Amino acid sequence: MADPLLSTSSGSDTGLPSNLGAGLCALFPLLGGLVFYFVEKKDALIRHWAVESIIFGVSIVIVKVAFAVLFALGTVLPGLHLLLVPLLLLLYWLSSMVILALYIIGIIKAFQGSRWTYPYVSAQGRKRFPNLVV
């Protein structure tokens, strides 16, 4: 007799249970999402989390690049760097904490097998890339 916890989803191209595939997408933002987006065509939960992972991963890259540019500008500006760099450090720390919290919540929700969207980020990503929607 087969163990029900080890059974695979019959509607999956990868052979993984839905929650495991979704969890892997959330665990590896952008890269995991891209892999599962192109490999998995049948399982709607994995596809959902693949799209969420792509959108969340791209938004992380955009935030990090924007801060890198702002830090570069802040260090070059002669009079403002004493005020701008500490403010940017604070904002960078706050944004990193928000990203970490969303990352952890996303991983938990994905491994639980529930559909969840990242606040604001998912809506903006789906608006800008309507073809990416499941």
Side-chain angles (χ1 to χ4, degrees):
M1 185 149 113
D3 186 8
L5 295 176
L6 297 177
S7 66
T8 59
S9 174
S10 61
S12 174
D13 289 328
T14 60
L16 293 173
S18 293
N19 64 332
L20 181 60
L24 289 174
C25 288
L27 195 58
F28 302 105
L30 191 56
L31 181 62
L34 286 171
V35 168
F36 279 98
Y37 184 77
F38 289 114
V39 171
E40 182 61 58
K41 300 294 182 198
K42 295 177 186 173
D43 194 326
L45 182 67
I46 295 176
R47 297 273 301 170
H48 167 79
W49 277 102
V51 170
E52 290 298 317
S53 174
I54 293 168
I55 292 170
F56 186 59
V58 167
S59 65
I60 290 172
V61 169
I62 290 171
V63 167
K64 298 297 181 180
V65 168
F67 271 111
V69 169
L70 289 173
F71 275 122
L73 287 174
T75 56
V76 173
L77 296 174
L80 292 175
H81 78 279
L82 293 175
L83 176 65
L84 191 59
V85 171
L87 179 64
L88 285 174
L89 282 171
L90 177 66
L91 289 175
Y92 182 78
W93 181 81
L94 287 173
S95 69
S96 295
M97 292 299 108
V98 169
I99 289 170
L100 179 64
L102 290 174
Y103 176 70
I104 292 170
I105 292 169
I107 290 171
I108 291 169
K109 294 290 188 180
F111 275 113
Q112 287 176 346
S114 64
R115 287 180 179 255
W116 182 73
T117 58
Y118 294 99
Y120 183 74
V121 173
S122 294
Q124 294 302 314
R126 290 174 194 279
K127 188 187 314 180
R128 295 210 175 22
F129 301 103
N131 295 337
L132 197 63
V133 177
V134 179

